[in-house]
Amino acid sequence: MATRTAPRRGPTLIVPTTAKSTVNVEDWEAKAPLDDLELRSIGLVKTASETLPLPLKYNDDENFPSRPSTPKTKLLGPNSRPGTPNSSRAAHNLHPKQPVQTPQQFYDWFAVIDRSVLHSQEAHFRAHVASVSDHLSTCDFLLERIDEIDLEVDQMLQGWTSVEEGGKSLKDACERLLEERDRLLQLTDEIGTRLEYFQELEHATRMLNHPGESLVLQSDFLYMVERVDICIDYLKAHRHFREAEVYLLRFQQCMTRAMTLIKMYFVGSLRALSADISRRLSEKDVSSTAQMHLLYTRFKSVSPQLAPLLRELERRALTHHEELASLLSECHAAYLSTRKSLLVGRLMQEIKGLDPTRTELVALTRTGCSYLKDLCVDEFDLFRVFFNSGEDQLYQYLENLCDYLYDDLRPRILHEPRLTALCEVCTVLQALMVLDRPDVDLDDEDGVDELNLDLDGKRRGLHRLHISQLLEMVLQDAQTRLFFKAQSVIQTDIRYYVTKPEDLAYPDILLEARKPVSALDLKEKESISQIFTAESLAKQDTWFPTLQKTYWVLSQLRPYVKPAIFEDISQEALSLCQQSLVSASEIIKMKNPPTTNLDGQLFLVRHLLIMKEITNNLELVQRDYDPNSMNFSGVTDALASMLSRTTALLPDALFSTFGVPRGDGSIGGVKHGIDHELRRVCSDVIAECAVPISTPLRTWLDRVNDFNAAWHTKENDGATPLTAQPWASQAAAEELNANFRAACERDLRSSVVRLKLYLESDRTVGVLVQHVLERIVDEYLAFRGVAWNMYAGALRSSLLDEHDLREVLRTVTADPSS
């Protein structure tokens, strides 16, 4: 027992001898507070310690003889005396066994008493030691029990651990079983799902074996078709399944049978409907409203029943093109042939009512093409009610309907001699093309036609009716005829035009045009010349006839032919027109020379500037064709554009005056020819205006220079001085100066008036007049310098300096009205 309890008592605490700080009761209670249970325990210990047992020596129990006590004697009073000992009571152990007689006996008895007193004093220590020993024994017993309990707890823990491990193993096994069960259930579901596709074949076969054409009208027929289509797609994606190819073939056969039933039902319905409508139309006195009802409303009435079936056929034909495309084509062909058989008679009757051989060509084109347009729109709308595909077959059918009118219209167009009538025909056809029906479902049909995948097949290829595709052939015939007719007009009215005297009556034609016109004539001119928006192109009655015809032909031809063809014919027309204008200018010069020289030159300048503007407006070379891009910029702007490529025929100062830099770029063909001719004739105009005024001055200066040169080359003895010459006298110089000023007042003013009459634009006139004045100023200043050095006196006062000369010329050239 001692060996088991000893380790649990723990090592003996060795209290350090160093002094410790004292802790009072308040600090102790604050640092180590006690709960209610501890306080009750302390109270119980305190209560138990207050009632300690008496020491053994005071115990009256006689069973403890080993603990003698002092004999109890009664206190004797002062008058009392000891009594006789009680002989009956047993003698105490401390009592002497025999009376004390000797000192030695007394000493022995006293020693016993002393030992008894000493033993009685140590009795409570021994009792405490015994109590502690009992407690130790009890603690050892408790420790032994605790060890036994620990062993039992350890055994229980081991048992619990083994149970826990067993339960976990059981749980894992159960989870594996559950996973296996779920896997088997999933596998069963997957097998069942896959088997559903194979089992669908039996249901589809059983339904397709059902007799009667009404099968396609059953509610579950289209659902069956959808399921078969899904099964086909599934088997195509899982060809590795066992017998997948066999089932795929049988499903495709079911799909083909189903679509064949739809085709047969559709064709049968069309035949029955066509027979009924043909019978009704063959009756007498069928109004146009009744015909429209029979031809369109009756067909639309059966569309709710047939259209869903045809939609299914179209969808399947997209995904199974090889197997089902032929069935869809047969449906298209059956529908279009049925419609053609019903419409041809009525169409031919309408065309006969137009009287193609006698009706005027433009009216025939407008009425006939409008009727065909309405007919094609109605057919297109009706076709879209049933189909969302078959655009090529539909347009071929519509073109066949249009051929009934084109067979009569095409010969009339190819033999039409009038250019205006051909232009109006092209206008009518282009107007019908522009009025194409807008897209029903989408705003940008072209982009959708090319880019939209349209997986569900809705509105595929039938977004809008393109009337231009149907009218394109007739328009091409009209444009071809228009082109050849325009070439014929160019040859007859421009190249081989015979000039008449009244065509060259310039400037009388311009003066006549300036007279006020009546309101009726003005209104008529405005109605005829609506195409001409520029002010410089408005007065065509003052143009030379070949230029009028050139611009009229090009204006008529431009909107109706391709840009490349238009450019070729325009270059030809403008080249021939330029040649005719140059020839007319030479004829005008020869009428009454030299007074008509300026008229011929200004005539050519005027018409070349207009031609230059025409070429810019028609955009022959540099820009793409656009019928709505005509932007007339004026005669002066055209002249400025030409002068940017002017060569040395004109002085450099002329370019800065126009505000146009000189450029090295060039263009070919007609524009280059017009520019070159215009530069040449502008130089001639400037010279023609300046030469009559400056020629006397230049002649006098040349004689002076010649005389001076001869004077210095020979000896001066006996020679007549320069001022002694009659032509070089001061009086001759004064006369020459006076004649110059008179010529400025007369000839220069007349030339400016003619410039304004022919060119009309103040800016253009100002540009040419400015360079005329520059040439005159240069000549006069040279004359003034020589005369100032040669003469003195009154002549110097009559000579003009540069500022005065320019002021005089400005006054002469100023507009009197301003």
Side-chain angles (χ1 to χ4, degrees):
M1 179 68 69
T3 58
R4 292 180 56 86
T5 58
R8 294 187 178 273
R9 295 177 183 177
T12 305
L13 296 176
I14 301 175
V15 181
T17 57
T18 58
K20 295 183 179 180
S21 60
T22 59
V23 180
N24 54 25
V25 177
E26 290 77 6
D27 294 339
W28 178 267
E29 291 182 353
K31 293 180 179 181
L34 302 177
D35 55 8
D36 294 341
L37 180 61
E38 293 172 344
L39 292 175
R40 287 196 301 271
S41 301
I42 293 173
L44 293 176
V45 173
K46 181 179 180 182
T47 303
S49 62
E50 288 178 354
T51 57
L52 296 175
L54 293 175
L56 294 177
K57 68 179 182 177
Y58 295 107
N59 193 351
D60 294 337
D61 190 359
E62 296 296 336
N63 295 325
F64 297 94
S66 61
R67 295 180 179 179
S69 60
T70 303
K72 297 179 182 179
T73 58
K74 296 182 180 180
L75 295 178
L76 298 179
N79 296 324
S80 64
R81 60 180 183 179
T84 301
N86 188 5
S87 59
S88 61
R89 184 177 178 180
H92 196 274
N93 290 332
L94 295 180
H95 288 174
K97 296 179 179 179
Q98 53 187 335
V100 175
Q101 294 177 358
T102 63
Q104 187 62 36
Q105 292 179 340
F106 176 80
Y107 284 127
D108 293 338
W109 176 77
F110 183 79
V112 171
I113 294 301
D114 185 56
R115 288 195 296 272
S116 176
V117 172
L118 182 62
H119 183 273
S120 64
Q121 291 178 349
E122 296 177 351
H124 64 282
F125 293 106
R126 287 192 294 275
H128 180 70
V129 170
S131 175
V132 170
S133 298
D134 293 339
H135 286 299
L136 288 177
S137 299
T138 303
C139 290
D140 291 338
F141 175 76
L142 291 176
L143 290 175
E144 183 178 359
R145 292 297 298 166
I146 289 173
D147 291 338
E148 293 176 356
I149 292 173
D150 287 341
L151 181 59
E152 292 179 358
V153 169
D154 292 339
Q155 293 176 354
M156 293 175 63
L157 182 61
Q158 292 177 357
W160 179 82
T161 303
S162 62
V163 171
E164 181 70 16
E165 292 177 352
K168 186 176 181 181
S169 300
L170 179 61
K171 178 182 178 183
D172 293 340
C174 293
E175 290 178 351
R176 287 195 297 273
L177 291 175
L178 289 175
E179 291 177 357
E180 182 67 16
R181 187 201 66 172
D182 294 339
R183 188 182 67 82
L184 293 176
L185 290 176
Q186 183 179 1
L187 180 61
T188 303
D189 293 339
E190 292 177 355
I191 293 174
T193 302
R194 286 166 172 77
L195 285 177
E196 288 180 357
Y197 294 98
F198 294 89
Q199 294 171 353
E200 189 67 29
L201 178 62
E202 181 181 359
H203 173 69
T205 305
R206 186 169 56 250
M207 177 174 287
L208 292 175
N209 290 334
H210 188 276
E213 294 183 355
S214 61
L215 173 63
V216 297
L217 300 179
Q218 294 183 7
S219 58
D220 55 348
F221 175 77
L222 295 181
Y223 175 76
M224 180 272 296
V225 173
E226 182 69 23
R227 291 296 301 168
V228 169
D229 192 21
I230 294 174
C231 293
I232 291 175
D233 294 338
Y234 181 80
L235 291 177
K236 285 183 178 180
H238 301 83
R239 292 181 179 270
H240 58 282
F241 286 177
R242 186 175 182 180
E243 297 184 0
E245 294 294 338
V246 176
Y247 274 87
L248 177 60
L249 180 59
R250 297 182 65 184
F251 273 121
Q252 290 175 346
Q253 292 175 352
C254 291
M255 178 62 71
T256 304
R257 290 180 60 188
M259 296 300 103
T260 303
L261 290 176
I262 292 178
K263 186 210 72 171
M264 294 174 60
Y265 182 77
F266 175 69
V267 173
S269 300
L270 281 180
R271 289 175 180 174
L273 183 61
S274 175
D276 182 58
I277 294 176
S278 299
R279 180 180 57 82
R280 297 284 301 276
L281 289 176
S282 61
E283 297 176 358
K284 296 181 179 180
D285 299 333
V286 180
S287 63
S288 60
T289 304
Q291 291 180 3
M292 290 294 294
H293 172 75
L294 292 173
L295 292 175
Y296 294 99
T297 309
R298 285 290 304 277
F299 270 83
K300 291 181 180 179
S301 64
V302 299
S303 63
Q305 189 178 47
L306 298 177
L309 300 176
L310 295 175
R311 296 288 189 271
E312 290 297 324
L313 178 56
E314 288 177 329
R315 289 180 57 194
R316 309 310 167 200
L318 289 176
T319 55
H320 311 286
H321 183 75
E322 295 180 358
E323 298 86 358
L324 304 179
S326 60
L327 295 177
L328 182 59
S329 298
E330 291 177 8
C331 291
H332 289 154
Y335 172 84
L336 296 177
S337 62
T338 301
R339 294 297 303 172
K340 185 176 181 180
S341 64
L342 294 175
L343 286 176
V344 166
R346 180 169 178 262
L347 176 60
M348 295 182 65
Q349 184 179 359
E350 291 290 341
I351 293 176
K352 288 182 180 179
L354 297 177
D355 193 7
T357 59
R358 297 182 181 180
T359 306
E360 202 273 331
L361 177 60
V362 177
L364 177 63
T365 303
R366 181 181 295 106
T367 306
C369 292
S370 299
Y371 170 74
L372 286 181
K373 177 179 179 294
D374 296 336
L375 178 64
C376 292
V377 168
D378 294 335
E379 288 298 307
F380 183 83
D381 291 339
L382 184 62
F383 187 83
R384 291 182 73 254
V385 172
F386 293 93
F387 298 99
N388 286 326
S389 60
E391 184 177 14
D392 295 337
Q393 296 89 329
L394 174 61
Y395 276 97
Q396 184 178 1
Y397 160 71
L398 296 179
E399 288 175 359
N400 291 333
L401 295 181
C402 294
D403 286 341
Y404 288 96
L405 176 63
Y406 295 168
D407 291 341
D408 294 324
L409 186 60
R410 188 175 295 113
R412 292 285 305 276
I413 292 177
L414 297 179
H415 294 85
E416 176 60 43
R418 297 171 300 166
L419 188 65
T420 55
L422 294 173
C423 292
E424 292 181 10
V425 169
C426 293
T427 302
V428 171
L429 295 176
Q430 288 184 346
L432 293 175
M433 290 181 178
V434 172
L435 296 177
D436 271 356
R437 292 190 57 197
D439 196 344
V440 178
D441 295 327
L442 301 171
D443 294 335
D444 191 3
E445 72 282 357
D446 295 333
V448 175
D449 286 346
E450 297 177 0
L451 301 178
N452 187 19
L453 296 179
D454 200 5
L455 297 179
D456 59 355
K458 293 183 178 179
R459 302 303 180 201
R460 183 178 179 85
L462 294 177
H463 302 137
R464 56 180 290 178
L465 175 61
H466 298 281
I467 297 296
S468 57
Q469 184 174 343
L470 304 175
L471 301 178
E472 183 177 4
M473 185 179 300
V474 179
L475 180 61
Q476 289 179 354
D477 293 337
Q479 289 176 342
T480 303
R481 176 57 181 166
L482 179 63
F483 173 76
F484 287 112
K485 182 59 180 177
Q487 280 191 327
S488 176
V489 172
I490 290 173
Q491 294 295 324
T492 56
D493 294 346
I494 299 177
R495 182 174 185 176
Y496 299 109
Y497 179 75
V498 178
T499 304
K500 301 175 184 179
E502 58 269 18
D503 297 335
L504 303 175
Y506 287 89
D508 296 338
I509 295 176
L510 300 177
L511 294 174
E512 184 69 22
R514 291 197 171 190
K515 295 181 180 180
V517 297
S518 62
L520 181 60
D521 295 338
L522 182 61
K523 183 177 181 181
E524 182 179 357
K525 290 182 180 181
E526 289 178 354
S527 62
I528 296 175
S529 305
Q530 291 179 355
I531 189 173
F532 307 114
T533 57
E535 180 181 357
S536 59
L537 300 180
K539 298 181 179 180
Q540 294 186 58
D541 51 353
T542 64
W543 295 3
F544 192 67
T546 58
L547 181 59
Q548 294 183 24
K549 185 63 67 173
T550 299
Y551 190 74
W552 178 78
V553 170
L554 296 183
S555 300
Q556 294 293 323
L557 198 64
R558 181 184 185 187
Y560 310 115
V561 297
K562 295 182 179 179
I565 299 176
F566 177 75
E567 182 175 344
D568 293 338
I569 196 171
S570 298
Q571 290 178 355
E572 179 184 2
L574 291 172
S575 297
L576 296 176
C577 180
Q578 179 182 347
Q579 296 175 9
S580 67
L581 292 175
V582 173
S583 300
S585 174
E586 296 298 330
I587 295 176
I588 293 176
K589 290 180 183 179
M590 292 185 298
K591 287 174 57 178
N592 188 18
T595 58
T596 57
N597 287 340
L598 184 60
D599 290 325
Q601 294 167 355
L602 291 177
F603 165 85
L604 187 58
V605 170
R606 171 184 175 85
H607 287 83
L608 288 179
L609 286 175
I610 296 174
M611 284 186 64
K612 182 64 179 178
E613 187 169 357
I614 290 174
T615 58
N616 292 334
N617 294 331
L618 296 178
E619 302 171 349
L620 295 180
V621 178
Q622 297 177 347
R623 296 183 183 178
D624 295 335
Y625 169 70
D626 183 4
N628 298 321
S629 64
M630 298 186 69
N631 183 16
F632 300 95
S633 56
V635 176
T636 303
D637 294 334
L639 179 60
S641 176
M642 179 277 301
L643 290 177
S644 66
R645 293 177 291 275
T646 304
T647 62
L649 291 174
L650 294 179
D652 292 338
L654 181 60
F655 297 100
S656 59
T657 304
F658 276 108
V660 181
R662 297 190 64 173
D664 296 331
S666 62
I667 61 175
V670 179
K671 285 189 174 182
H672 180 74
I674 295 174
D675 292 344
H676 179 76
E677 187 66 25
L678 188 57
R679 289 193 296 268
R680 183 192 64 79
V681 73
C682 284
S683 179
D684 293 343
V685 168
I686 294 174
E688 186 68 26
C689 293
V691 165
I693 302 173
S694 59
T695 297
L697 300 178
R698 172 52 53 190
T699 302
W700 187 83
L701 288 174
D702 292 340
R703 294 182 67 179
V704 170
N705 292 331
D706 294 340
F707 184 87
N708 290 333
W711 177 271
H712 292 294
T713 57
K714 62 182 179 179
E715 295 182 0
N716 300 329
D717 296 339
T720 305
L722 176 62
T723 55
Q725 299 293 332
W727 57 271
S729 62
Q730 182 173 354
E734 291 177 353
E735 182 182 359
L736 185 61
N737 183 47
N739 292 336
F740 168 79
R741 301 186 65 170
C744 289
E745 290 287 342
R746 180 184 67 254
D747 298 335
L748 181 59
R749 188 185 301 274
S750 175
S751 298
V752 171
V753 170
R754 288 196 178 188
L755 286 174
K756 292 181 179 180
L757 177 63
Y758 277 90
L759 301 183
E760 296 181 353
S761 173
D762 293 338
R763 180 184 169 190
T764 306
V765 173
V767 170
L768 295 176
V769 169
Q770 180 65 30
H771 290 280
V772 171
L773 298 182
E774 291 296 332
R775 181 173 295 189
I776 294 175
V777 170
D778 293 340
E779 295 292 343
Y780 184 81
L781 291 180
F783 165 75
R784 183 180 183 278
V786 174
W788 188 274
N789 295 326
M790 291 176 56
Y791 310 108
L795 179 60
R796 289 189 176 184
S797 61
S798 62
L799 293 176
L800 300 173
D801 58 7
E802 183 177 0
H803 178 269
D804 294 337
L805 176 61
R806 291 186 180 277
E807 185 66 25
V808 169
L809 294 178
R810 188 191 65 79
T811 304
V812 170
T813 58
D815 188 359
S817 60
S818 60

